[in-house]
Amino acid sequence: MQHIVLGHFKLVSKELPRQSLEASLFRCGCNSIAWARSMVRVMEIDPPWGSIEFKAVAVSVEELGFPTVATLEEIVRQGEENGLSRCFSRVGPVLVECGVLPQGRSFIVAMDPVKDANGEGVFEIGNGSLGACHAEKNASFPKDAVFVFIQAEFQ
């Protein structure tokens, strides 16, 4: 399985108020849609313990072995079978804030969906923006959709 390494990062667990995360995204010039802002307000701030260093990697649905479409559950399961881990919810906003994403590409964060008034969603990131897309059980993603996973080293 091929994947693109987006970079190496460190998340430190500290009480990070949601307003700080939103303000930090605003300071870095991130465009975010209303649904993504709503998800940031209700998501759990993770990791809840210590810190974690991780490598963010991107892989397409097709590279995971799905020739046409797959659900988020199938994509995450296949990624985990290939040694990748689902992302913490903060990974999407952190990648946008760091400005490491290749221009002209869009990535979907392989994470547990965040449920709010709009439904269940996951972050979609790219081109300096933080967005969201539906991730209900029956939602499917095409073979050319690219997902971000992490390879973590826990501390």
Side-chain angles (χ1 to χ4, degrees):
M1 174 191 67
Q2 280 189 321
H3 61 265
I4 300 168
V5 177
L6 299 174
H8 297 266
F9 305 90
K10 182 173 185 173
L11 284 180
V12 177
S13 179
K14 58 184 176 186
E15 189 51 43
L16 179 69
R18 282 160 193 23
Q19 297 84 355
S20 295
L21 183 56
E22 288 181 87
S24 146
L25 288 169
F26 179 76
R27 275 193 309 277
C28 77
C30 170
N31 300 313
S32 60
I33 63 167
W35 188 12
R37 285 193 303 270
S38 172
M39 287 171 55
V40 167
R41 288 186 200 109
V42 300
M43 72 183 195
E44 290 186 31
I45 300 296
D46 47 27
W49 34 253
S51 65
I52 180 173
E53 291 188 30
F54 65 93
K55 177 170 53 173
V57 299
V59 61
S60 74
V61 171
E62 185 174 34
E63 290 167 333
L64 286 169
F66 300 101
T68 55
V69 298
T71 65
L72 179 65
E73 186 178 322
E74 292 169 326
I75 292 163
V76 169
R77 183 176 50 246
Q78 189 65 24
E80 289 173 342
E81 287 176 9
N82 283 283
L84 304 174
S85 299
R86 71 185 68 214
C87 293
F88 299 103
S89 56
R90 238 175 53 197
V91 168
V94 165
L95 292 177
V96 172
E97 184 178 8
C98 292
V100 298
L101 301 170
Q103 287 296 314
R105 306 256 342 240
S106 177
F107 303 89
I108 300 166
V109 180
M111 60 185 270
D112 290 329
V114 175
K115 185 172 182 156
D116 70 0
N118 297 298
E120 291 186 22
V122 294
F123 289 121
E124 184 170 6
I125 57 180
N127 298 315
S129 66
L130 176 68
C133 60
H134 283 279
E136 282 83 7
K137 282 210 178 267
N138 61 348
S140 61
F141 298 89
K143 69 180 184 177
D144 59 346
V146 180
F147 279 78
V148 174
F149 287 87
I150 61 173
Q151 290 179 320
E153 197 172 289
F154 296 92
Q155 298 182 346

